[in-house]
Amino acid sequence: MALNTTISADKNAPPITRILAEFVAGHPSRGWSDAVEHEAHRTFMNWLGCAVGAAHHESTQAAIRATQVLEPAAQALVLGSNIRVDMGNAALINGISSHTFDFDDTHLKTIIHPAGPVCSAVLALAEKLGSSGREVIDAVVLGIDVSCRVGNMMYPEHYDRGWHITGSTGTLGAAAACARLLKLDADKTQMALGIAASQPVGLREQFGTMTKPFHPGGAAKAGLMSALLAKEGFTASRRALEAPRGFAQVVSTKYAWNEITDELGQRFEISFNTYKPFACGIVIHPSIDACIQLREQGVTAENLERLDLRVHSLVLELTGKKEPKDGLEGKFSVYHGCAAGLIFGQASEDQYADDIVNRADMVATRGKVNAVIDNTIDEAAVDATAVLKDGRKIHLRVEHAIGSLQRPMTDANLETKFSNMSDEILGKDQTRQLMDACWSLAKAGSVGEVIQLATLQGSSSGHTRQQTAAAAQ
Amino acid sequence: MALNTTISADKNAPPITRILAEFVAGHPSRGWSDAVEHEAHRTFMNWLGCAVGAAHHESTQAAIRATQVLEPAAQALVLGSNIRVDMGNAALINGISSHTFDFDDTHLKTIIHPAGPVCSAVLALAEKLGSSGREVIDAVVLGIDVSCRVGNMMYPEHYDRGWHITGSTGTLGAAAACARLLKLDADKTQMALGIAASQPVGLREQFGTMTKPFHPGGAAKAGLMSALLAKEGFTASRRALEAPRGFAQVVSTKYAWNEITDELGQRFEISFNTYKPFACGIVIHPSIDACIQLREQGVTAENLERLDLRVHSLVLELTGKKEPKDGLEGKFSVYHGCAAGLIFGQASEDQYADDIVNRADMVATRGKVNAVIDNTIDEAAVDATAVLKDGRKIHLRVEHAIGSLQRPMTDANLETKFSNMSDEILGKDQTRQLMDACWSLAKAGSVGEVIQLATLQGSSSGHTRQQTAAAAQ
């Protein structure tokens, strides 16, 4: 019944709560390289596109209805809608929508999706405070640094234990970011981190349900509230993160304190953020990437006789579904992903709609794909050979799929991804302007323009994406 | 750096999430004994008195200020004030105030303070819904049964690991109680429990700070929100509590599933709830109890020559402070507690005010107390001998202090305790009426009368208790 585990406490941990608080409160505005600065804009834009794209999804809508019962003040926008709620609930709902398609960013070292908790809290608070774009970008970089460093400290044991690391570290990241935006001093920032430490959000058991995307939303709301409480003088343990009965030692059996302090203020974890090009599990990405490249070389559904893939064993283990029946099953089919890449040149959320999965040309093309396991192939790679009806063979090898750190999504790729999610919600023109506003956010006097452009105007749109969801992984 | 612990998952747990959901949704109204019914009223009244008593405390006031930033709708009362906020934040603030003096109830088997999370969520929601008193009492009994059974399942390993069990199980109890009040069916109640399972609140490291009372408040708010989300169709794992990566196996190394199911619906954990008679740690209670009994036998500060105590070793280890300098230090002084018992006949929050601690007669009386460790004395007991100036000796032995399960607080004791906290806030007449309204709650058509009587009228009061706090333990 009961398992015995010996937890021996580390009583001599360095004061990481204080160290992080001083860093968050004291690091200079834009105190980083151009590359970090640019990555922050990419992170923010990618997050915003995901949130707008899922604005009409059932999980977002259910959260909106639940918060309406609280009769919230119209403080902050629910992205992609014309609804405003109090900033705490805006953080919650935008955190939910941004993770609903499981299409947001990934800090690969920890599998944290860092933007959801941090950006959702920051933008809601910034709208209320009238913060400048500069302040927003500063808060995002520092908040994400906190959550990902805490993740580095505990990964993988914390994740293996069953915590959804995005939410459990996200509360801390959101609290740090909001403390920065509120201009709290180091003492109060330390309290904000302390209050947040008592509120880890997220169990892996929830994967496949709406509570998975709830995790970054709940973390955003809890982190924001922690900073507001700290501002008003609420107190917490000064060693909430590192004490023997503090956060790290309670929720993890690994706590590599040096991950908090190594190169702090010099190396920024947002540098290691990546963005998914395809709305499905990452093991399929090399295969879809290969198919898009084959399409660019002239391969079509019509001229293809057969596609032979050599893949890592995980691909068939996790995504070996030969005949998916709907969008959700399509997410677990490398065959469907390949057909989407060949026919559409992409695998966005739209390619996982039920009617697309069941379209005759998709079914036929899936049938032409043969995948076999090759133990010499890395998880990040694929070996693909297209045999055409005219007898020609085209061979391709992808070593690192698009979206990896080695072959990052270009800014143009990110814009295409954004458009694919946002065009149907906000319209093409407004989407284009919104992306431009994101790219120049640091120069904006306030977040007003971004908010205005992320607002659903009049009665446009009506498109709903309900078939798939974060349910996918 | 990293500790290795072997966590072997139990994949064959019974479906306790479902079992609890069916119980909460389906158990008949007032489906329990008169004793359970009466205990529910005692629990509710004791909780309410604690919340009213701390209405003006700095931790409550800081929380009010923080939530005002959200411009909340006037849905539910902050107890002991004339402020209304949205019901989620009312649950938060009342949960904080009810635990601020560390003077609320205790489920001794688990050291859970069960009322804070459950009653705070229930009353706020009931005010908004217009629920009947009957529905409120039903929700309280069932919600507390859920949190305490989950506690029984995991105690003591879960607590030893570092979780403040009041908040970590409280989210589930609050979600269950609110699901009942919202009349959710078993399926949706199961979802509410599932969403709540992802939000355990509370680290023991926070003891001594405002974040300790934040725990029941945060749990109340999170549980209420979980039920509201479930009502709107939000989904969670159907096995959120018992799955290998579910709540119990993530936050505890002990999970005695039978504690959930044994005598479910027959034995109610609220039966084992107790109420603190004195506003300090429980190890001092036998000594204070003895002093109050000596006072009743004619012992006074003037006629006392010397008081000899034989105590359990924990008493001096935890509360051996000979010369406390303020109220907070007074909480850690068995000597101060004895002086309060002899001079005031009680040790309520008022006896832990700084000026009382430093009063000359208190200082003098403290100096007459000698405490020695006796290994034959149980933790729940004390052996006391008062030596009077006229040479007489009065000997007393307390085997179980007042407030224990063996010698529970009487209803009259609870009323005295309530008055001591509420009179200065609401006035004596209103306090008397409020207690009457609590005793007859199950017969009330709504919670309107309780809410009206718990509201600060006009400009009465102004008394603030800021000296001590939950900081005490």
Side-chain angles (χ1 to χ4, degrees):
Chain A
M1 189 73 60
L3 295 170
N4 283 318
T5 51
T6 308
I7 311 286
S8 57
D10 181 350
K11 293 178 180 165
N12 301 308
I16 60 167
T17 311
R18 181 69 193 177
I19 290 168
L20 285 174
E22 289 183 354
F23 168 59
V24 169
H27 193 80
S29 175
R30 208 207 176 286
W32 38 73
S33 68
D34 290 351
V36 167
E37 177 76 1
H38 186 57
E39 206 61 52
H41 285 78
R42 285 158 55 89
T43 292
F44 183 87
M45 191 180 87
N46 182 71
W47 161 80
L48 186 62
C50 291
V52 167
H56 299 162
H57 191 277
E58 178 53 25
S59 58
T60 309
Q61 292 296 315
I64 290 173
R65 290 194 300 274
T67 55
Q68 289 300 324
V69 180
L70 303 170
E71 301 169 275
Q75 292 185 325
L77 180 70
V78 175
L79 297 167
S81 81
N82 50 19
I83 297 168
R84 292 184 127 71
V85 296
D86 70 85
M87 59 182 162
N89 284 310
L92 171 67
I93 299 169
N94 293 332
I96 290 172
S97 59
S98 73
H99 194 49
T100 287
F101 295 149
D102 237 322
F103 204 15
D104 45 348
D105 53 344
T106 306
H107 178 256
L108 289 171
K109 288 198 275 182
T110 57
I111 336 183
I112 289 174
H113 307 290
V118 172
C119 294
S120 304
V122 164
L123 185 59
L125 179 58
E127 184 178 350
K128 176 71 167 65
L129 294 178
S131 311
S132 70
R134 177 72 262 150
E135 291 170 327
V136 166
I137 292 292
D138 288 350
V140 166
V141 171
L142 296 169
I144 286 180
D145 217 51
V146 167
S147 49
C148 290
R149 281 177 176 271
V150 171
N152 291 340
M153 171 176 76
M154 307 192 299
Y155 188 85
E157 279 80 348
H158 171 68
Y159 187 76
D160 290 345
R161 189 172 176 88
W163 287 100
H164 186 196
I165 191 169
T166 292
S168 57
T169 65
T171 314
L172 294 163
C178 291
R180 173 78 184 201
L181 209 57
L182 287 163
K183 302 184 170 67
L184 302 190
D185 63 19
D187 287 347
K188 288 194 167 175
T189 300
Q190 189 171 359
M191 296 298 107
L193 289 172
I195 301 164
S198 268
Q199 304 170 76
V201 177
L203 303 172
R204 286 174 64 189
E205 169 60 21
Q206 309 285 6
F207 288 11
T209 77
M210 292 181 186
T211 298
K212 183 179 192 239
F214 172 85
H215 295 159
K221 183 178 178 178
L224 169 56
M225 196 68 211
S226 299
L228 293 177
L229 283 164
K231 179 170 190 284
E232 299 300 336
F234 215 80
T235 62
S237 165
R238 299 175 68 82
R239 301 187 70 226
L241 294 181
E242 68 272 20
R245 284 171 178 159
F247 176 83
Q249 299 197 47
V250 169
V251 301
S252 183
T253 45
K254 174 192 168 190
Y255 18 91
W257 312 118
N258 66 296
E259 292 287 355
I260 301 295
T261 47
D262 286 354
E263 301 178 89
L264 184 65
Q266 294 166 327
R267 182 192 78 212
F268 290 86
E269 290 301 308
I270 203 170
S271 306
F272 308 104
N273 209 5
T274 64
Y275 315 93
K276 274 191 182 178
F278 312 123
C280 59
I282 211 154
V283 291
I284 317 184
H285 290 204
S287 299
I288 300 173
D289 189 350
C291 287
I292 294 172
Q293 292 188 43
L294 287 170
R295 181 175 183 268
E296 287 163 0
Q297 294 186 32
V299 177
T300 66
E302 292 73 34
N303 69 18
L304 180 71
E305 171 76 25
R306 197 174 82 238
L307 176 65
D308 295 324
L309 297 180
R310 308 188 73 80
V311 299
H312 186 270
S313 60
L314 267 183
V315 176
L316 294 187
E317 190 182 313
L318 298 177
T319 61
K321 209 171 272 289
K322 259 276 178 192
E323 290 300 337
K325 287 178 194 62
D326 55 27
L328 184 54
E329 288 195 6
K331 298 227 168 181
F332 298 93
S333 171
V334 63
Y335 308 101
H336 177 73
C338 285
L342 283 166
I343 293 176
F344 294 96
Q346 60 184 354
S348 293
E349 193 62 23
D350 285 341
Q351 280 72 51
Y352 290 96
D354 291 350
D355 56 344
I356 298 291
V357 171
N358 290 306
R359 230 169 65 168
D361 58 343
M362 290 292 289
V363 175
T365 304
R366 279 202 298 267
K368 297 179 184 176
V369 180
N370 308 297
V372 297
I373 294 168
D374 183 335
N375 290 327
T376 68
I377 302 274
D378 188 75
E379 200 178 324
V382 75
D383 184 286
T385 305
V387 180
L388 304 192
K389 286 180 178 163
D390 64 9
R392 277 188 300 146
K393 288 187 178 183
I394 305 178
H395 176 255
L396 261 181
R397 199 173 168 103
V398 171
E399 293 298 344
H400 296 287
I402 181 76
S404 63
L405 274 174
Q406 292 81 359
R407 212 151 68 77
M409 294 271 276
T410 63
D411 291 354
N413 292 150
L414 286 176
E415 291 199 347
T416 301
K417 176 182 174 182
F418 192 109
S419 289
N420 284 335
M421 293 187 287
S422 174
D423 283 354
E424 291 189 68
I425 307 282
L426 300 176
K428 275 188 178 300
D429 289 351
Q430 192 176 325
T431 294
R432 178 67 258 169
Q433 293 172 55
L434 178 54
M435 290 190 289
D436 291 340
C438 285
W439 289 129
S440 60
L441 179 58
K443 298 188 213 86
S446 80
V447 294
E449 189 186 6
V450 163
I451 294 295
Q452 174 65 22
L453 291 168
T455 303
L456 184 67
Q457 306 296 337
S459 60
S460 62
S461 172
H463 178 80
T464 51
R465 290 191 184 90
Q466 306 206 356
Q467 306 89 339
T468 50
Q473 350 207 340
Chain B
M1 190 72 58
L3 295 169
N4 282 318
T5 51
T6 307
I7 310 287
S8 57
D10 181 349
K11 293 178 180 164
N12 301 307
I16 60 168
T17 311
R18 181 68 193 178
I19 290 167
L20 286 173
E22 289 183 356
F23 168 60
V24 169
H27 193 79
S29 175
R30 208 207 176 288
W32 40 73
S33 68
D34 290 352
V36 167
E37 178 74 2
H38 186 58
E39 206 61 51
H41 285 79
R42 285 159 55 88
T43 292
F44 182 87
M45 192 180 88
N46 183 72
W47 161 80
L48 186 62
C50 292
V52 166
H56 300 163
H57 191 277
E58 179 52 24
S59 58
T60 309
Q61 293 295 316
I64 290 172
R65 291 194 300 274
T67 55
Q68 290 299 325
V69 180
L70 302 170
E71 301 170 276
Q75 291 186 324
L77 180 69
V78 174
L79 296 167
S81 81
N82 50 19
I83 297 169
R84 290 183 129 70
V85 296
D86 70 85
M87 57 182 164
N89 284 312
L92 171 69
I93 298 168
N94 292 332
I96 290 172
S97 60
S98 72
H99 194 51
T100 288
F101 293 149
D102 236 321
F103 204 15
D104 45 349
D105 53 345
T106 306
H107 178 255
L108 289 171
K109 288 198 275 182
T110 57
I111 337 180
I112 289 174
H113 306 291
V118 172
C119 294
S120 304
V122 163
L123 186 59
L125 179 59
E127 183 178 352
K128 176 70 168 66
L129 293 179
S131 311
S132 70
R134 178 71 263 150
E135 290 169 328
V136 165
I137 292 293
D138 289 349
V140 167
V141 171
L142 296 169
I144 285 180
D145 216 52
V146 167
S147 49
C148 290
R149 282 178 177 271
V150 171
N152 290 341
M153 172 176 75
M154 306 191 301
Y155 188 84
E157 277 81 348
H158 171 67
Y159 187 76
D160 289 347
R161 189 172 176 87
W163 287 99
H164 184 197
I165 191 168
T166 292
S168 56
T169 65
T171 314
L172 294 164
C178 292
R180 173 78 183 200
L181 209 58
L182 287 163
K183 302 185 170 64
L184 301 191
D185 63 17
D187 287 347
K188 287 192 168 174
T189 301
Q190 190 172 356
M191 295 299 105
L193 290 171
I195 301 164
S198 268
Q199 303 170 77
V201 176
L203 303 172
R204 286 174 65 190
E205 168 60 21
Q206 309 285 6
F207 288 12
T209 76
M210 293 182 186
T211 298
K212 184 180 190 237
F214 172 85
H215 295 160
K221 183 178 179 178
L224 170 55
M225 197 67 210
S226 299
L228 293 177
L229 284 164
K231 179 170 190 283
E232 299 300 335
F234 215 81
T235 63
S237 165
R238 299 175 67 82
R239 303 186 70 227
L241 294 180
E242 70 271 19
R245 283 172 178 158
F247 177 82
Q249 299 197 46
V250 169
V251 302
S252 183
T253 45
K254 174 192 168 194
Y255 19 91
W257 310 119
N258 66 296
E259 293 286 356
I260 301 296
T261 48
D262 287 354
E263 301 178 89
L264 184 65
Q266 294 167 327
R267 183 192 78 212
F268 289 87
E269 290 302 308
I270 202 169
S271 307
F272 309 105
N273 209 7
T274 64
Y275 315 94
K276 275 190 181 179
F278 311 124
C280 59
I282 211 153
V283 293
I284 318 184
H285 291 205
S287 300
I288 300 174
D289 188 351
C291 288
I292 294 172
Q293 291 187 44
L294 288 169
R295 180 174 183 268
E296 286 162 1
Q297 294 185 32
V299 178
T300 66
E302 292 71 35
N303 69 17
L304 181 70
E305 172 75 26
R306 195 173 85 237
L307 175 65
D308 294 326
L309 297 180
R310 308 188 74 78
V311 299
H312 185 272
S313 61
L314 267 182
V315 176
L316 294 187
E317 189 182 314
L318 298 177
T319 60
K321 209 169 273 290
K322 260 277 179 192
E323 290 300 340
K325 289 180 192 59
D326 55 27
L328 184 54
E329 288 195 4
K331 298 228 167 182
F332 299 92
S333 171
V334 64
Y335 309 100
H336 176 74
C338 285
L342 283 165
I343 293 177
F344 293 96
Q346 59 184 355
S348 293
E349 193 62 25
D350 285 342
Q351 280 72 51
Y352 289 95
D354 290 350
D355 56 344
I356 298 291
V357 172
N358 290 308
R359 228 168 68 168
D361 58 345
M362 289 292 290
V363 175
T365 305
R366 278 203 298 266
K368 298 179 184 175
V369 180
N370 308 297
V372 296
I373 293 168
D374 181 336
N375 290 327
T376 70
I377 302 272
D378 187 77
E379 198 178 324
V382 76
D383 184 287
T385 303
V387 181
L388 303 192
K389 287 180 176 159
D390 63 11
R392 279 188 298 146
K393 287 187 178 182
I394 305 179
H395 176 254
L396 261 182
R397 199 174 167 101
V398 171
E399 293 298 345
H400 296 287
I402 181 74
S404 62
L405 273 175
Q406 293 82 1
R407 212 152 67 78
M409 294 272 276
T410 63
D411 290 355
N413 291 151
L414 285 177
E415 289 198 347
T416 301
K417 175 182 174 183
F418 192 108
S419 289
N420 284 336
M421 293 187 287
S422 174
D423 282 355
E424 291 189 68
I425 307 280
L426 299 176
K428 274 187 180 300
D429 290 351
Q430 191 175 327
T431 294
R432 178 66 258 169
Q433 294 172 55
L434 178 55
M435 289 190 290
D436 292 341
C438 286
W439 289 128
S440 60
L441 179 58
K443 299 189 210 86
S446 79
V447 295
E449 190 185 7
V450 164
I451 294 295
Q452 173 65 20
L453 291 167
T455 304
L456 184 68
Q457 306 296 336
S459 60
S460 62
S461 170
H463 178 79
T464 51
R465 291 191 181 88
Q466 306 205 356
Q467 307 87 341
T468 49
Q473 352 202 336

